[in-house]
Amino acid sequence: MKITVLCFGIATDLIKKSSLELTLPENCTVTSFKKLLTTQYPELANISAYAVAINERYAQENDTIKENDVIAIIPPVSGG
């Protein structure tokens, strides 16, 4: 199944793209997605943790990604 991935913050710098089109297996969870993404883009291992949103809603690790979903990678943000 095809999905769109949007990258923000340091994720954009590490992947060197602000968006990606990926093909995932059916019934892919957020946890599986993160593992696949890190396999394809090992630079993401430099981020200790990041949130994932599915269609503009924060996702849990066991949420299932569906065909044509838009996934956002949201790294930690700091500042003041």
Side-chain angles (χ1 to χ4, degrees):
M1 71 179 165
K2 293 188 183 226
I3 62 162
T4 300
V5 179
L6 304 177
C7 303
F8 294 95
I10 189 79
T12 302
D13 296 337
L14 294 172
I15 294 176
K16 297 183 179 25
K17 296 180 183 180
S18 60
S19 67
L20 309 165
E21 297 292 325
L22 294 179
T23 301
L24 300 179
E26 294 294 322
N27 299 316
C28 186
T29 64
V30 170
T31 299
S32 298
F33 163 74
K34 285 181 170 183
K35 288 178 185 173
L36 289 168
L37 195 63
T38 303
T39 299
Q40 291 183 14
Y41 298 95
E43 304 85 4
L44 284 176
N46 294 325
I47 302 175
S48 59
Y50 57 88
V52 171
I54 301 174
N55 300 324
E56 299 182 8
R57 301 190 111 180
Y58 281 102
Q60 301 298 316
E61 294 295 316
N62 60 346
D63 286 349
T64 302
I65 300 168
K66 297 176 183 69
E67 178 87 26
N68 298 318
D69 277 348
V70 177
I71 310 300
I73 299 172
I74 308 166
V77 178
S78 64

